[in-house]
mmCIF file of all heavy atoms in Angstrom:
data_model
loop_
_atom_site.group_PDB
_atom_site.id
_atom_site.type_symbol
_atom_site.label_atom_id
_atom_site.label_comp_id
_atom_site.label_asym_id
_atom_site.label_seq_id
_atom_site.Cartn_x
_atom_site.Cartn_y
_atom_site.Cartn_z
ATOM 1 N N VAL A 1 -19.683 -9.641 8.992
ATOM 2 C CA VAL A 1 -18.989 -10.869 8.592
ATOM 3 C C VAL A 1 -17.709 -10.593 7.803
ATOM 4 O O VAL A 1 -17.040 -11.523 7.362
ATOM 5 C CB VAL A 1 -19.915 -11.801 7.787
ATOM 6 C CG1 VAL A 1 -21.058 -12.317 8.655
ATOM 7 C CG2 VAL A 1 -20.438 -11.102 6.540
ATOM 8 N N GLY A 2 -17.379 -9.299 7.607
ATOM 9 C CA GLY A 2 -16.164 -8.999 6.874
ATOM 10 C C GLY A 2 -15.762 -7.552 7.028
ATOM 11 O O GLY A 2 -16.563 -6.708 7.449
ATOM 12 N N HIS A 3 -14.523 -7.276 6.681
ATOM 13 C CA HIS A 3 -13.961 -5.929 6.804
ATOM 14 C C HIS A 3 -12.799 -5.799 5.828
ATOM 15 O O HIS A 3 -12.083 -6.768 5.572
ATOM 16 C CB HIS A 3 -13.448 -5.737 8.237
ATOM 17 C CG HIS A 3 -12.784 -4.411 8.475
ATOM 18 N ND1 HIS A 3 -11.443 -4.198 8.255
ATOM 19 C CD2 HIS A 3 -13.281 -3.247 8.923
ATOM 20 C CE1 HIS A 3 -11.145 -2.941 8.557
ATOM 21 N NE2 HIS A 3 -12.246 -2.348 8.977
ATOM 22 N N VAL A 4 -12.634 -4.600 5.280
ATOM 23 C CA VAL A 4 -11.453 -4.282 4.481
ATOM 24 C C VAL A 4 -11.172 -2.794 4.651
ATOM 25 O O VAL A 4 -12.090 -2.008 4.910
ATOM 26 C CB VAL A 4 -11.626 -4.655 2.993
ATOM 27 C CG1 VAL A 4 -12.617 -3.741 2.281
ATOM 28 C CG2 VAL A 4 -10.288 -4.667 2.268
ATOM 29 N N ALA A 5 -9.912 -2.421 4.519
ATOM 30 C CA ALA A 5 -9.516 -1.023 4.667
ATOM 31 C C ALA A 5 -8.483 -0.660 3.617
ATOM 32 O O ALA A 5 -7.814 -1.540 3.054
ATOM 33 C CB ALA A 5 -8.930 -0.788 6.059
ATOM 34 N N ILE A 6 -8.362 0.630 3.366
ATOM 35 C CA ILE A 6 -7.286 1.165 2.537
ATOM 36 C C ILE A 6 -6.530 2.167 3.395
ATOM 37 O O ILE A 6 -7.129 3.059 4.001
ATOM 38 C CB ILE A 6 -7.814 1.856 1.269
ATOM 39 C CG1 ILE A 6 -8.561 0.866 0.380
ATOM 40 C CG2 ILE A 6 -6.654 2.512 0.498
ATOM 41 C CD1 ILE A 6 -9.205 1.502 -0.842
ATOM 42 N N ASN A 7 -5.222 1.998 3.443
ATOM 43 C CA ASN A 7 -4.341 2.884 4.190
ATOM 44 C C ASN A 7 -3.400 3.597 3.242
ATOM 45 O O ASN A 7 -3.109 3.098 2.144
ATOM 46 C CB ASN A 7 -3.487 2.078 5.179
ATOM 47 C CG ASN A 7 -4.308 1.302 6.169
ATOM 48 O OD1 ASN A 7 -5.379 1.736 6.585
ATOM 49 N ND2 ASN A 7 -3.818 0.136 6.556
ATOM 50 N N SER A 8 -2.893 4.728 3.676
ATOM 51 C CA SER A 8 -1.794 5.348 2.950
ATOM 52 C C SER A 8 -0.531 4.553 3.283
ATOM 53 O O SER A 8 -0.449 3.935 4.351
ATOM 54 C CB SER A 8 -1.649 6.814 3.344
ATOM 55 O OG SER A 8 -1.447 6.938 4.728
ATOM 56 N N PRO A 9 0.437 4.531 2.376
ATOM 57 C CA PRO A 9 1.678 3.794 2.669
ATOM 58 C C PRO A 9 2.375 4.355 3.904
ATOM 59 O O PRO A 9 2.412 5.567 4.109
ATOM 60 C CB PRO A 9 2.531 4.026 1.415
ATOM 61 C CG PRO A 9 1.547 4.376 0.345
ATOM 62 C CD PRO A 9 0.440 5.111 1.034
ATOM 63 N N GLN A 10 2.911 3.455 4.711
ATOM 64 C CA GLN A 10 3.615 3.842 5.933
ATOM 65 C C GLN A 10 5.116 3.625 5.742
ATOM 66 O O GLN A 10 5.529 2.771 4.956
ATOM 67 C CB GLN A 10 3.092 3.016 7.114
ATOM 68 C CG GLN A 10 1.617 3.231 7.406
ATOM 69 C CD GLN A 10 1.297 4.674 7.732
ATOM 70 O OE1 GLN A 10 1.825 5.234 8.684
ATOM 71 N NE2 GLN A 10 0.445 5.306 6.926
ATOM 72 N N PRO A 11 5.951 4.377 6.468
ATOM 73 C CA PRO A 11 7.403 4.205 6.345
ATOM 74 C C PRO A 11 7.809 2.751 6.575
ATOM 75 O O PRO A 11 7.309 2.092 7.482
ATOM 76 C CB PRO A 11 7.956 5.110 7.458
ATOM 77 C CG PRO A 11 6.882 6.133 7.674
ATOM 78 C CD PRO A 11 5.582 5.414 7.436
ATOM 79 N N GLY A 12 8.666 2.254 5.707
ATOM 80 C CA GLY A 12 9.177 0.895 5.846
ATOM 81 C C GLY A 12 8.266 -0.197 5.307
ATOM 82 O O GLY A 12 8.596 -1.375 5.415
ATOM 83 N N GLU A 13 7.144 0.174 4.709
ATOM 84 C CA GLU A 13 6.204 -0.825 4.196
ATOM 85 C C GLU A 13 6.743 -1.412 2.887
ATOM 86 O O GLU A 13 6.866 -0.717 1.886
ATOM 87 C CB GLU A 13 4.842 -0.172 3.986
ATOM 88 C CG GLU A 13 3.708 -1.136 3.946
ATOM 89 C CD GLU A 13 2.395 -0.451 4.272
ATOM 90 O OE1 GLU A 13 2.252 0.767 4.073
ATOM 91 O OE2 GLU A 13 1.510 -1.172 4.749
ATOM 92 N N GLU A 14 7.073 -2.687 2.928
ATOM 93 C CA GLU A 14 7.749 -3.352 1.818
ATOM 94 C C GLU A 14 6.933 -3.324 0.528
ATOM 95 O O GLU A 14 7.467 -3.069 -0.550
ATOM 96 C CB GLU A 14 8.104 -4.788 2.212
ATOM 97 C CG GLU A 14 8.876 -5.555 1.166
ATOM 98 C CD GLU A 14 10.283 -5.019 0.911
ATOM 99 O OE1 GLU A 14 10.751 -4.126 1.640
ATOM 100 O OE2 GLU A 14 10.915 -5.495 -0.039
ATOM 101 N N VAL A 15 5.645 -3.600 0.591
ATOM 102 C CA VAL A 15 4.835 -3.666 -0.624
ATOM 103 C C VAL A 15 4.799 -2.308 -1.325
ATOM 104 O O VAL A 15 4.866 -2.237 -2.551
ATOM 105 C CB VAL A 15 3.413 -4.214 -0.343
ATOM 106 C CG1 VAL A 15 2.585 -3.246 0.498
ATOM 107 C CG2 VAL A 15 2.699 -4.563 -1.636
ATOM 108 N N ALA A 16 4.721 -1.224 -0.577
ATOM 109 C CA ALA A 16 4.726 0.111 -1.186
ATOM 110 C C ALA A 16 6.087 0.393 -1.818
ATOM 111 O O ALA A 16 6.171 0.958 -2.916
ATOM 112 C CB ALA A 16 4.367 1.167 -0.154
ATOM 113 N N ARG A 17 7.150 -0.011 -1.142
ATOM 114 C CA ARG A 17 8.494 0.181 -1.700
ATOM 115 C C ARG A 17 8.645 -0.570 -3.016
ATOM 116 O O ARG A 17 9.136 -0.019 -4.004
ATOM 117 C CB ARG A 17 9.567 -0.285 -0.709
ATOM 118 C CG ARG A 17 11.005 -0.042 -1.238
ATOM 119 C CD ARG A 17 12.052 -0.796 -0.432
ATOM 120 N NE ARG A 17 11.931 -2.238 -0.543
ATOM 121 C CZ ARG A 17 12.312 -2.956 -1.615
ATOM 122 N NH1 ARG A 17 12.807 -2.366 -2.682
ATOM 123 N NH2 ARG A 17 12.166 -4.262 -1.619
ATOM 124 N N LEU A 18 8.201 -1.821 -3.044
ATOM 125 C CA LEU A 18 8.292 -2.609 -4.274
ATOM 126 C C LEU A 18 7.541 -1.937 -5.421
ATOM 127 O O LEU A 18 8.041 -1.868 -6.542
ATOM 128 C CB LEU A 18 7.725 -4.018 -4.047
ATOM 129 C CG LEU A 18 8.576 -4.983 -3.244
ATOM 130 C CD1 LEU A 18 7.762 -6.227 -2.881
ATOM 131 C CD2 LEU A 18 9.828 -5.365 -4.013
ATOM 132 N N TRP A 19 6.331 -1.442 -5.133
ATOM 133 C CA TRP A 19 5.544 -0.820 -6.200
ATOM 134 C C TRP A 19 6.152 0.509 -6.638
ATOM 135 O O TRP A 19 6.164 0.827 -7.822
ATOM 136 C CB TRP A 19 4.085 -0.663 -5.799
ATOM 137 C CG TRP A 19 3.296 -0.129 -6.949
ATOM 138 C CD1 TRP A 19 2.650 1.066 -7.016
ATOM 139 C CD2 TRP A 19 3.112 -0.741 -8.218
ATOM 140 N NE1 TRP A 19 2.071 1.231 -8.255
ATOM 141 C CE2 TRP A 19 2.349 0.129 -9.009
ATOM 142 C CE3 TRP A 19 3.541 -1.951 -8.774
ATOM 143 C CZ2 TRP A 19 1.984 -0.163 -10.326
ATOM 144 C CZ3 TRP A 19 3.171 -2.241 -10.084
ATOM 145 C CH2 TRP A 19 2.415 -1.359 -10.850
ATOM 146 N N ARG A 20 6.670 1.299 -5.707
ATOM 147 C CA ARG A 20 7.341 2.553 -6.083
ATOM 148 C C ARG A 20 8.490 2.273 -7.034
ATOM 149 O O ARG A 20 8.655 2.956 -8.051
ATOM 150 C CB ARG A 20 7.872 3.293 -4.849
ATOM 151 C CG ARG A 20 6.836 4.090 -4.089
ATOM 152 C CD ARG A 20 7.475 5.016 -3.058
ATOM 153 N NE ARG A 20 8.350 4.328 -2.118
ATOM 154 C CZ ARG A 20 7.949 3.783 -0.972
ATOM 155 N NH1 ARG A 20 6.686 3.837 -0.602
ATOM 156 N NH2 ARG A 20 8.811 3.183 -0.174
ATOM 157 N N GLU A 21 9.290 1.245 -6.714
ATOM 158 C CA GLU A 21 10.435 0.905 -7.558
ATOM 159 C C GLU A 21 9.995 0.420 -8.933
ATOM 160 O O GLU A 21 10.615 0.748 -9.938
ATOM 161 C CB GLU A 21 11.300 -0.154 -6.887
ATOM 162 C CG GLU A 21 12.099 0.384 -5.723
ATOM 163 C CD GLU A 21 12.941 -0.677 -5.040
ATOM 164 O OE1 GLU A 21 12.956 -1.841 -5.495
ATOM 165 O OE2 GLU A 21 13.594 -0.331 -4.027
ATOM 166 N N GLU A 22 8.946 -0.382 -8.983
ATOM 167 C CA GLU A 22 8.489 -0.943 -10.262
ATOM 168 C C GLU A 22 7.779 0.094 -11.126
ATOM 169 O O GLU A 22 7.950 0.120 -12.342
ATOM 170 C CB GLU A 22 7.560 -2.136 -10.012
ATOM 171 C CG GLU A 22 7.143 -2.826 -11.295
ATOM 172 C CD GLU A 22 6.436 -4.140 -11.050
ATOM 173 O OE1 GLU A 22 6.874 -4.902 -10.171
ATOM 174 O OE2 GLU A 22 5.455 -4.405 -11.758
ATOM 175 N N SER A 23 6.983 0.952 -10.506
ATOM 176 C CA SER A 23 6.106 1.843 -11.270
ATOM 177 C C SER A 23 6.596 3.280 -11.385
ATOM 178 O O SER A 23 6.189 4.001 -12.299
ATOM 179 C CB SER A 23 4.732 1.890 -10.596
ATOM 180 O OG SER A 23 4.834 2.554 -9.336
ATOM 181 N N GLY A 24 7.404 3.716 -10.431
ATOM 182 C CA GLY A 24 7.783 5.121 -10.391
ATOM 183 C C GLY A 24 6.736 5.993 -9.713
ATOM 184 O O GLY A 24 6.909 7.206 -9.592
ATOM 185 N N ASP A 25 5.615 5.391 -9.259
ATOM 186 C CA ASP A 25 4.592 6.144 -8.529
ATOM 187 C C ASP A 25 5.157 6.640 -7.212
ATOM 188 O O ASP A 25 6.067 6.027 -6.645
ATOM 189 C CB ASP A 25 3.377 5.258 -8.208
ATOM 190 C CG ASP A 25 2.433 5.084 -9.381
ATOM 191 O OD1 ASP A 25 2.569 5.808 -10.383
ATOM 192 O OD2 ASP A 25 1.551 4.205 -9.285
ATOM 193 N N ASP A 26 4.594 7.743 -6.707
ATOM 194 C CA ASP A 26 4.946 8.164 -5.357
ATOM 195 C C ASP A 26 3.792 7.778 -4.423
ATOM 196 O O ASP A 26 2.737 7.329 -4.873
ATOM 197 C CB ASP A 26 5.290 9.655 -5.286
ATOM 198 C CG ASP A 26 4.124 10.551 -5.646
ATOM 199 O OD1 ASP A 26 2.949 10.172 -5.443
ATOM 200 O OD2 ASP A 26 4.375 11.665 -6.131
ATOM 201 N N ASP A 27 4.004 7.968 -3.134
ATOM 202 C CA ASP A 27 3.026 7.510 -2.148
ATOM 203 C C ASP A 27 1.654 8.148 -2.316
ATOM 204 O O ASP A 27 0.650 7.564 -1.918
ATOM 205 C CB ASP A 27 3.537 7.747 -0.731
ATOM 206 C CG ASP A 27 4.584 6.733 -0.309
ATOM 207 O OD1 ASP A 27 4.816 5.755 -1.053
ATOM 208 O OD2 ASP A 27 5.172 6.912 0.780
ATOM 209 N N SER A 28 1.576 9.327 -2.925
ATOM 210 C CA SER A 28 0.272 9.979 -3.095
ATOM 211 C C SER A 28 -0.610 9.247 -4.104
ATOM 212 O O SER A 28 -1.807 9.507 -4.173
ATOM 213 C CB SER A 28 0.444 11.441 -3.517
ATOM 214 O OG SER A 28 0.974 11.519 -4.832
ATOM 215 N N HIS A 29 -0.034 8.309 -4.860
ATOM 216 C CA HIS A 29 -0.798 7.539 -5.847
ATOM 217 C C HIS A 29 -0.908 6.062 -5.482
ATOM 218 O O HIS A 29 -1.289 5.237 -6.309
ATOM 219 C CB HIS A 29 -0.159 7.683 -7.233
ATOM 220 C CG HIS A 29 -0.276 9.074 -7.760
ATOM 221 N ND1 HIS A 29 0.748 9.980 -7.683
ATOM 222 C CD2 HIS A 29 -1.321 9.717 -8.331
ATOM 223 C CE1 HIS A 29 0.349 11.119 -8.207
ATOM 224 N NE2 HIS A 29 -0.899 10.994 -8.610
ATOM 225 N N ILE A 30 -0.547 5.725 -4.237
ATOM 226 C CA ILE A 30 -0.577 4.330 -3.788
ATOM 227 C C ILE A 30 -1.502 4.204 -2.585
ATOM 228 O O ILE A 30 -1.461 5.018 -1.671
ATOM 229 C CB ILE A 30 0.837 3.848 -3.389
ATOM 230 C CG1 ILE A 30 1.787 3.930 -4.588
ATOM 231 C CG2 ILE A 30 0.784 2.417 -2.840
ATOM 232 C CD1 ILE A 30 3.247 3.677 -4.230
ATOM 233 N N GLY A 31 -2.338 3.176 -2.605
ATOM 234 C CA GLY A 31 -3.153 2.811 -1.457
ATOM 235 C C GLY A 31 -2.813 1.387 -1.058
ATOM 236 O O GLY A 31 -2.598 0.540 -1.926
ATOM 237 N N VAL A 32 -2.748 1.133 0.225
ATOM 238 C CA VAL A 32 -2.421 -0.209 0.711
ATOM 239 C C VAL A 32 -3.704 -0.857 1.222
ATOM 240 O O VAL A 32 -4.302 -0.398 2.187
ATOM 241 C CB VAL A 32 -1.359 -0.161 1.827
ATOM 242 C CG1 VAL A 32 -1.040 -1.575 2.308
ATOM 243 C CG2 VAL A 32 -0.094 0.546 1.331
ATOM 244 N N LEU A 33 -4.130 -1.894 0.520
ATOM 245 C CA LEU A 33 -5.315 -2.640 0.936
ATOM 246 C C LEU A 33 -4.925 -3.475 2.153
ATOM 247 O O LEU A 33 -3.902 -4.159 2.128
ATOM 248 C CB LEU A 33 -5.817 -3.536 -0.186
ATOM 249 C CG LEU A 33 -7.185 -4.122 0.127
ATOM 250 C CD1 LEU A 33 -8.197 -3.654 -0.900
ATOM 251 C CD2 LEU A 33 -7.123 -5.613 0.167
ATOM 252 N N ALA A 34 -5.723 -3.390 3.202
ATOM 253 C CA ALA A 34 -5.346 -4.044 4.454
ATOM 254 C C ALA A 34 -6.585 -4.521 5.200
ATOM 255 O O ALA A 34 -7.701 -4.121 4.899
ATOM 256 C CB ALA A 34 -4.568 -3.059 5.331
ATOM 257 N N ARG A 35 -6.341 -5.344 6.172
ATOM 258 C CA ARG A 35 -7.365 -5.771 7.119
ATOM 259 C C ARG A 35 -8.517 -6.531 6.472
ATOM 260 O O ARG A 35 -9.615 -6.533 7.001
ATOM 261 C CB ARG A 35 -7.935 -4.592 7.916
ATOM 262 C CG ARG A 35 -6.935 -3.650 8.533
ATOM 263 C CD ARG A 35 -6.073 -4.359 9.567
ATOM 264 N NE ARG A 35 -5.354 -3.427 10.397
ATOM 265 C CZ ARG A 35 -4.053 -3.137 10.251
ATOM 266 N NH1 ARG A 35 -3.361 -3.701 9.289
ATOM 267 N NH2 ARG A 35 -3.474 -2.302 11.072
ATOM 268 N N LEU A 36 -8.273 -7.152 5.311
ATOM 269 C CA LEU A 36 -9.356 -7.940 4.710
ATOM 270 C C LEU A 36 -9.548 -9.201 5.537
ATOM 271 O O LEU A 36 -8.620 -9.975 5.728
ATOM 272 C CB LEU A 36 -9.041 -8.320 3.266
ATOM 273 C CG LEU A 36 -10.084 -9.230 2.615
ATOM 274 C CD1 LEU A 36 -11.427 -8.527 2.476
ATOM 275 C CD2 LEU A 36 -9.602 -9.730 1.266
ATOM 276 N N PHE A 37 -10.742 -9.351 6.059
ATOM 277 C CA PHE A 37 -11.090 -10.626 6.672
ATOM 278 C C PHE A 37 -12.559 -10.897 6.416
ATOM 279 O O PHE A 37 -13.370 -9.988 6.265
ATOM 280 C CB PHE A 37 -10.749 -10.685 8.172
ATOM 281 C CG PHE A 37 -11.583 -9.800 9.055
ATOM 282 C CD1 PHE A 37 -12.820 -10.213 9.529
ATOM 283 C CD2 PHE A 37 -11.125 -8.558 9.428
ATOM 284 C CE1 PHE A 37 -13.581 -9.403 10.360
ATOM 285 C CE2 PHE A 37 -11.882 -7.741 10.263
ATOM 286 C CZ PHE A 37 -13.114 -8.166 10.724
#
């Protein structure tokens, strides 16, 4: 009845770019929550 996933940031992904700019984190410290239904 439900699903959720975590992906590594992909090139051009806006949400990861926004967080990198705000936090200074690099992609190795970011997970993108996706596919929640």
Side-chain angles (χ1 to χ4, degrees):
V1 294
H3 177 272
V4 71
I6 298 176
N7 301 326
S8 58
Q10 298 301 300
E13 201 158 25
E14 183 67 8
V15 68
R17 182 194 65 76
L18 286 169
W19 185 244
R20 280 192 305 271
E21 287 179 3
E22 185 170 318
S23 68
D25 280 348
D26 63 29
D27 283 352
S28 68
H29 293 99
I30 299 171
V32 180
L33 191 118
R35 311 297 195 258
L36 176 65
F37 69 84

